[in-house]
């Protein structure tokens, strides 16, 4: 039973990491296509989902 709990936690952790990675990639793509600047894309990638939500609300 303990093994099942550990597997569940690993799956949840993997999903969380995938969400963070996808959010960063999405933020960088939106930023680069909008502003055409690699430094801004990196900064917005670090902000991840915050920038994505801001972009959706703003534009």
């Amino acid at each position: 039973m303990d093994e099942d709990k550990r597997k569940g936690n690993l799956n949840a952790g993997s999903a969380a990491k995938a969400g963070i990675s996808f959010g960063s990639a999405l933020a960088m793509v939106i930023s680069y296509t909008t502003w055409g600047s690699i430094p801004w894309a990196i900064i917005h990638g670090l902000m991840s989902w915050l920038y994505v939500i801001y972009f959706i609300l703003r534009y």
Side-chain angles (χ1 to χ4, degrees), residues 27-28 31-32 35-47 51:
M28 287 191 282
S31 178
Y32 185 76
W35 306 110
S37 171
I38 292 174
W40 276 118
I42 293 170
I43 292 168
H44 293 147
L46 293 173
M47 294 183 341
Y51 180 74

Side-chain angles (χ1 to χ4, degrees), residues 6-19:
R6 279 187 244 144
K7 285 182 183 178
N9 289 340
L10 290 176
N11 289 338
S14 298
K17 287 180 184 177

Side-chain angles (χ1 to χ4, degrees), residues 5-59:
K5 288 181 183 179
R6 279 187 244 144
K7 285 182 183 178
N9 289 340
L10 290 176
N11 289 338
S14 298
K17 287 180 184 177
I20 291 169
S21 299
F22 178 73
S24 295
L26 182 60
M28 287 191 282
V29 169
I30 290 171
S31 178
Y32 185 76
T33 56
T34 303
W35 306 110
S37 171
I38 292 174
W40 276 118
I42 293 170
I43 292 168
H44 293 147
L46 293 173
M47 294 183 341
S48 188
W49 284 108
L50 293 175
Y51 180 74
V52 173
I53 292 168
Y54 164 79
F55 186 84
I56 290 169
L57 295 174
R58 177 79 173 143
Y59 300 99

